[in-house]
Amino acid sequence: SGTLLDGGGTGIEGVWIDAWSDTESVGGWDETASDGTFTITGLKTNATYIVSAVTGSGFVSEEVPVQTTDVTDVTLQITTGDSITGTVLSGGGVINGTEVIVAAFDTSDGGSFYNSTTASTVDGTYTLSNLPTGSYRIMAKAVGYGDSWYGGTAYDDATDVSPGTGSIDFSLVAQ
């Protein structure tokens, strides 16, 4: 549990807080209350989670180890950043009938998950907002389609991308 604060230290209401463990492939989420507090339940112990939030004005992402008991008093403070944008299509057309996820993985720490968004089903566009300065590898995926890494076939050979570098586009292949 913890609190999400804006740049001035005031709690932010109505923001989804996500916790994800790459090693455990498990996570959870909660929406912040009127005072910015949140409680994420059901996480496995003895794991490290990336806890993150994105608002229209900024982002935050922190590693939080969960040992054998609940972790309390996690304070997340929003900062601002830049964006990565593009399109996700298949065969030149929009992917209909399923959610399309685009995710950014921070290369400065070996590829931990940083931020994700759902691509538009109307025109296939996406925006990964409020990314801090740095380098990312970008992946797009959808149910019924193969995962696609920008400039490669997996994280290890994907192309590094910096926020604000132009359109990062994907063409997913149906399985």
Side-chain angles (χ1 to χ4, degrees):
S1 64
T3 307
L4 177 66
L5 304 174
D6 64 17
T10 302
I12 305 172
E13 178 180 12
V15 176
W16 286 100
I17 307 294
D18 296 305
W20 179 256
S21 172
D22 283 332
T23 57
E24 297 295 323
S25 295
V26 68
W29 57 90
D30 189 30
E31 186 175 8
T32 56
S34 61
D35 61 354
T37 58
F38 61 91
T39 300
I40 301 172
T41 60
L43 300 179
K44 291 183 179 180
T45 57
N46 298 317
T48 298
Y49 292 83
I50 300 297
V51 180
S52 60
V54 177
T55 70
S57 62
F59 66 90
V60 64
S61 181
E62 285 187 23
E63 277 192 14
V64 177
V66 176
Q67 300 306 320
T68 58
T69 60
D70 291 338
V71 175
T72 59
D73 299 324
V74 174
T75 301
L76 304 174
Q77 188 142 11
I78 293 292
T79 56
T80 59
D82 208 342
S83 300
I84 294 174
T85 62
T87 57
V88 181
L89 304 173
S90 180
V94 175
I95 298 172
N96 289 314
T98 189
E99 183 178 42
V100 178
I101 301 293
V102 182
F105 296 83
D106 188 345
T107 62
S108 69
D109 65 1
S112 68
F113 169 75
Y114 192 82
N115 192 357
S116 69
T117 188
T118 302
S120 166
T121 57
V122 175
D123 61 4
T125 59
Y126 73 90
T127 300
L128 293 165
S129 300
N130 296 313
L131 297 168
T133 300
S135 183
Y136 299 88
R137 294 188 182 169
I138 312 300
M139 181 196 59
K141 66 180 186 174
V143 173
Y145 294 83
D147 293 354
S148 179
W149 288 88
Y150 181 71
T153 58
Y155 174 85
D156 290 338
D157 68 347
T159 301
D160 290 354
V161 176
S162 296
T165 59
S167 188
I168 304 301
D169 302 321
F170 294 90
S171 181
L172 300 185
V173 177
Q175 293 182 320

